[in-house]
Amino acid sequence: MAKSKLPAIVATAVAVPLAAVAGVLVFNALAPAAADPEHETAQDLSPVAVTVPELSEDDAVVCLALTATVPDTAGGLQARPVEGDPGAAEAVMAYGDPAAVATCGIEPVTVEDTAAVFKLNGVCWFSDEAGSDWVTLDRQVPVGVSFPEGHEQPVDVLNDLSTVIADKVPAAEAAPTGCA
């Protein structure tokens, strides 16, 4: 007695389209909200207008070594181009929208040995009371990072930048005792 292939064909004809529809539904349910254009928040990645500090020839070389090797993202924020004074891209970096701006070659700050300092990935940082302006204390060429009002996690950005700063900006001969 020969068995009919008709039930198998019908089952396949029904199962394949149902599996495809189920796959699309599961994908849409599990896909991140960012993939949905209605939920996207477009970041402004246009150039950021910056001011460049006056740099000695030696400091300019150090700053160029730093800016040439910084990461494409810092603290999850996308790098942005900078524009303004001549040499802006050689001394200043910007990340995110609104931009956190890192400037190589800023004026050094002096802090008391009892000041609260933060060692992040081999670099010693000092912050203003608001936590919006940070500056390195243990580098020959100071690097400052200014964060926009309301930025919640500056340490994430500083951690990522500190790795490159520790590698490219030589350590200073002296630093506050909290930086040891």
Side-chain angles (χ1 to χ4, degrees):
M1 198 188 263
K3 290 189 176 186
S4 171
K5 293 185 182 181
L6 184 59
I9 293 172
V10 170
T12 302
V14 171
V16 170
L18 283 177
V21 168
V24 168
L25 292 174
V26 168
F27 175 79
N28 286 336
L30 297 177
D36 182 0
E38 292 180 20
H39 292 98
E40 280 188 27
T41 54
Q43 283 193 33
D44 178 8
L45 297 178
S46 62
V48 177
V50 297
T51 302
V52 180
E54 286 192 36
L55 300 171
S56 70
E57 192 172 310
D58 290 342
D59 288 356
V61 170
V62 169
C63 290
L64 179 58
L66 174 64
T67 59
T69 58
V70 292
D72 291 336
T73 60
L77 302 176
Q78 184 66 42
R80 294 177 62 178
V82 294
E83 64 184 10
D85 298 336
E90 288 81 24
V92 184
M93 301 140 287
Y95 289 91
D97 176 27
V101 178
T103 305
C104 181
I106 67 166
E107 287 294 319
V109 297
T110 303
V111 299
E112 296 191 25
D113 280 342
T114 57
V117 297
F118 305 89
K119 191 103 178 212
L120 304 170
N121 286 335
V123 175
C124 187
W125 294 90
F126 175 76
S127 174
D128 65 351
E129 286 185 26
S132 58
D133 292 311
W134 293 72
V135 63
T136 60
L137 297 174
D138 63 345
R139 301 288 123 184
Q140 287 180 10
V141 181
V143 177
V145 182
S146 294
F147 291 92
E149 186 177 324
H151 188 87
E152 294 181 12
Q153 294 296 331
V155 172
D156 293 343
V157 173
L158 296 173
N159 269 326
D160 288 346
L161 293 178
S162 291
T163 303
V164 181
I165 291 169
D167 186 44
K168 298 298 179 185
V169 182
E173 291 180 21
T177 56
C179 294

